[in-house]
Amino acid sequence: MSTDIRSGTQDTERPAEPAKGEKFADWADGRLGIYSLARTQMRKIFPDHWSFMFGEICLYSFLVLILTGIYLTLFFEPSGVEVVYHGSYTPLSGVRMTRAYESTIDLSFDVRGGLLIRQVHHWSALVFCAGLLVHMMRVFFTGAYRKPRELNWLFGWTILFTALITGLTGYSLPDDLLSGTGIRFADGAILSIPVIGTYISFFLFGGEFPGHDIIPRLYSAHVLLLPGLILGLVVTHLILVFYHKHTQFAGPGRSEKNVVGAPLMPVYTAKAGGFFFLVFGLLTIMGAVATINPVWAMGPYRPDLVSTGAQPDWYLGFSEGLIRVMPGWEINAWGHTLALGVLIPFTLFPLLLAAIGAYPFIEAWVTGDKREHHIADRPRNHPVRTGLGTAWLAMYFVCLIGGGNDLWATHFHLSINSITWFVRIAFFAGPVLTFIVTKRICHGLQLRDRDKALHGRESGIIKRLPHGEYVEVHEPLDQGQLYKLTQHEQPAPFELGPEVDANGVRRKVTRSQRLRAKLAKALYGPGSHVPKATVEEYRQIQNAHGHDDGHDGGQGHDHEEHSEARQPR
């Protein structure tokens, strides 16, 4: 209150003027509803696990790709026009080259920081693709693709497939001898397509290979079309992750209906921000100390030359390995040649990727499970699925060896024919052996978990019994550890049932039902897993030992950790 000296009366004080930031916040909230949105969403709970960082690496390396790519577009000229080089790199002085290659050389030697940004951009692309592969393998092995995340799996799969194409277009832009060889390789694969292969090649190159149109077209796709598509997919992917939340691993207080973790603000945001700068810094260090794609050492592309040791980036080595080791089979009929040695691998590569994208839907059809799943599986508890994943990885790495068969031969003084035959045999035998070994390892880990759940943890203490026998003392597990070892489901496989019903009429069984029964038996049938410990077995062992410490085989109460928050889904 304030007093007027002349009149002796009191009047009410005027309210303090709001700060500029508060005014702006009120203005924005009145038009966008930011406050109410932030109040409900910024405290959203996210679980935490070290494996979740793979997805964050993908996101942050993609952001680095965008930032460095914007810088590179300011100096790169996507032109196939031929010029004579007279720049600062003396070994290439007087050499004819395209303007695209010349601008790449100028960017590397004459633009301040140009070479560093080029290499950071390239390393970021490699890390981005590697992060995508490892992230998808984490999702696959833990079953995080199940309902309601099937669509998000497809979005991630599309991001991976688009990233491969984006890497190919960017790798080809400098028009050096190495990237030109890669384009020639891609043109040969396109020409192997029956009937329409020639038309597609003429459309892409604007006529006979190599033409003058391919570099500007690759540039438009690499800078505008494909990054925009990836950006839209990433945003959609993150929105669905935000909506569904991460899956969480089993533990006390965690169920299919709640989330245990840290809030988005400020804990999760602070950790994510720090991790972004860590990834950015490591990529910058890699670009500064590790040379990658030295285009000046390759020279400009010439259609009559092929560079020695021509290797694509690792994420495309799978497709090249398939083509390199495939026998050169051909079919000549009616004046046309069908190059099976190129067509079969060129077709097999997208088919394998398509099988990966469709797997969640195939598994859901086999199991008939329509429930929502928010608890991630331990890979050991699904030996067949884990074996399939490692078998695919084994096939991938075998094809990588085939894609670099010439370098393996020169570096290790081996016969290139021996390497080629090794890859041909290992392509079929390697995944099978990997599947068997992985399944056996998972069974061994399940047996260990079963023994630990029933008998407790080995304490390392040796005790001598009255009759002279030496035994090791086992420490009983607490409720949280028991729950972790026994919470997983082991569903019974789908069965066709009796072929004749109660009235003696033969039931009609479709081929799809028979196929589903066979696949279900392979996934969950006898020998696919080790039966987990049950409450009855646990109590029998405890009673046989002469004590009952109150454990109930992992069926006890959930305990909430005080350092974490819980939120219903």
Side-chain angles (χ1 to χ4, degrees):
M1 306 291 290
S2 62
T3 301
D4 191 331
I5 299 177
R6 292 171 295 179
S7 62
T9 61
Q10 294 181 344
D11 56 7
T12 305
E13 291 183 357
R14 294 180 178 178
E17 186 75 13
K20 292 182 178 179
E22 187 178 350
K23 285 183 177 180
F24 176 76
D26 290 340
W27 179 88
D29 183 60
R31 291 154 180 80
L32 303 176
I34 295 178
Y35 175 74
S36 58
L37 179 66
R39 183 177 57 183
T40 56
Q41 301 299 326
M42 289 299 100
R43 299 296 294 175
K44 208 172 187 68
I45 301 301
F46 279 85
D48 196 11
H49 192 265
W50 64 267
S51 63
F52 296 162
M53 72 177 183
F54 297 129
E56 296 184 35
I57 291 175
C58 298
L59 176 61
Y60 302 149
S61 57
F62 179 66
L63 294 177
V64 175
L65 276 171
I66 293 178
L67 294 175
T68 54
I70 292 173
Y71 184 85
L72 295 177
T73 57
L74 302 176
F75 303 97
F76 179 75
E77 185 176 338
S79 174
V81 177
E82 291 191 348
V83 296
V84 178
Y85 181 73
H86 295 292
S88 59
Y89 187 66
T90 306
L92 291 177
S93 181
V95 176
R96 294 184 63 85
M97 60 185 65
T98 59
R99 183 69 188 101
Y101 184 72
E102 184 186 40
S103 64
T104 305
I105 298 296
D106 293 340
L107 180 61
S108 302
F109 292 102
D110 298 323
V111 175
R112 186 179 297 274
L115 181 58
L116 174 64
I117 300 300
R118 267 195 65 234
Q119 299 201 148
V120 171
H121 187 76
H122 203 141
W123 278 117
S124 300
L126 298 182
V127 172
F128 177 57
C129 293
L132 282 172
L133 179 61
V134 177
H135 176 61
M136 291 195 69
M137 288 294 99
R138 195 275 302 174
V139 173
F140 180 84
F141 287 132
T142 60
Y145 51 77
R146 294 172 296 175
K147 183 182 178 181
R149 296 175 177 85
E150 304 98 329
L151 289 180
N152 222 8
W153 169 267
L154 285 182
F155 283 124
W157 176 87
T158 309
I159 292 173
L160 175 62
F161 193 78
T162 309
L164 300 182
I165 302 175
T166 308
L168 175 63
T169 57
Y171 161 86
S172 305
L173 284 178
D175 199 35
D176 61 298
L177 190 56
L178 180 61
S179 65
T181 304
I183 297 179
R184 186 58 163 170
F185 180 87
D187 180 56
I190 293 172
L191 289 174
S192 68
I193 301 176
V195 182
I196 62 174
T198 305
Y199 296 96
I200 296 176
S201 176
F202 268 63
F203 172 76
L204 290 176
F205 293 94
E208 290 283 354
F209 177 88
H212 297 285
D213 298 334
I214 186 62
I215 295 178
R217 292 178 178 179
L218 290 176
Y219 180 79
S220 300
H222 181 75
V223 174
L224 181 63
L225 178 61
L226 295 175
L229 179 59
I230 294 178
L231 182 61
L233 291 170
V234 167
V235 171
T236 307
H237 183 78
L238 292 177
I239 290 174
L240 288 177
V241 169
F242 197 84
Y243 177 71
H244 294 140
K245 301 186 182 71
H246 272 293
T247 53
Q248 56 184 353
F249 287 92
R254 302 176 184 182
S255 68
E256 299 283 4
K257 298 181 179 181
N258 73 340
V259 184
V260 179
L264 179 63
M265 287 289 291
V267 179
Y268 199 83
T269 304
K271 293 171 63 176
F275 192 46
F276 167 73
F277 287 107
L278 179 62
V279 172
F280 202 159
L282 289 176
L283 289 174
T284 304
I285 293 174
M286 293 170 65
V289 302
T291 301
I292 186 172
N293 195 22
V295 294
W296 56 87
M298 306 294 178
Y301 177 66
R302 287 177 49 183
D304 59 330
L305 296 178
V306 176
S307 61
T308 58
Q311 305 293 316
D313 287 333
W314 71 269
Y315 49 84
L316 291 174
F318 179 86
S319 59
E320 178 153 339
L322 286 173
I323 294 180
R324 285 195 182 193
V325 302
M326 180 71 186
W329 296 340
E330 292 183 353
I331 296 179
N332 296 304
W334 299 288
H336 297 277
T337 300
L338 189 61
L340 298 179
V342 179
L343 178 62
I344 292 178
F346 186 60
T347 307
L348 185 61
F349 177 67
L351 287 179
L352 290 173
L353 291 178
I356 296 173
Y359 184 86
F361 303 94
I362 297 175
E363 183 180 285
W365 172 68
V366 171
T367 59
D369 189 0
K370 301 183 183 300
R371 299 170 299 167
E372 289 192 2
H373 294 273
H374 302 287
I375 298 295
D377 295 326
R378 301 175 77 196
R380 67 184 64 180
N381 293 331
H382 289 267
V384 176
R385 180 208 293 160
T386 304
L388 291 175
T390 55
W392 183 87
L393 290 176
M395 181 188 298
Y396 192 96
F397 288 117
V398 165
C399 291
L400 282 183
I401 296 175
N405 57 1
D406 52 345
L407 293 184
W408 285 91
T410 55
H411 282 67
F412 295 96
H413 307 289
L414 301 173
S415 168
I416 195 169
N417 290 328
S418 300
I419 297 174
T420 300
W421 275 104
F422 166 78
V423 174
R424 289 175 178 175
I425 297 173
F427 178 81
F428 297 99
V432 175
L433 293 176
T434 304
F435 176 83
I436 295 174
V437 171
T438 302
K439 188 177 177 181
R440 293 285 296 176
I441 292 174
C442 291
H443 283 175
L445 293 174
Q446 284 184 317
L447 285 172
R448 189 184 69 174
D449 288 347
R450 174 183 170 84
D451 183 74
K452 186 183 294 185
L454 293 175
H455 301 281
R457 182 189 304 106
E458 297 177 354
S459 65
I461 301 174
I462 305 299
K463 181 179 179 180
R464 183 180 182 183
L465 301 180
H467 61 276
E469 180 185 1
Y470 289 90
V471 296
E472 183 180 13
V473 178
H474 286 69
E475 298 177 353
L477 303 180
D478 58 34
Q479 288 293 303
Q481 293 170 326
L482 281 173
Y483 177 76
K484 180 179 178 180
L485 295 179
T486 59
Q487 61 79 31
H488 60 281
E489 296 180 350
Q490 292 183 332
F494 167 78
E495 296 181 354
L496 293 176
E499 296 185 0
V500 180
D501 60 17
N503 298 321
V505 179
R506 181 174 295 275
R507 296 171 52 247
K508 182 180 180 181
V509 180
T510 62
R511 292 183 179 179
S512 62
Q513 289 176 325
R514 295 184 185 277
L515 177 61
R516 179 187 173 189
K518 291 180 179 179
L519 293 176
K521 184 178 180 180
L523 284 173
Y524 303 107
S528 63
H529 58 263
V530 175
K532 65 179 182 179
T534 63
V535 178
E536 291 75 14
E537 290 175 319
Y538 180 81
R539 288 175 176 169
Q540 288 177 2
I541 291 176
Q542 295 301 317
N543 294 334
H545 290 169
H547 68 276
D548 188 353
D549 54 12
H551 293 294
D552 56 358
Q555 305 298 322
H557 299 288
D558 293 336
H559 300 281
E560 177 184 352
E561 299 183 18
H562 298 290
S563 59
E564 293 182 312
R566 298 177 65 184
Q567 179 178 352
R569 291 191 178 273

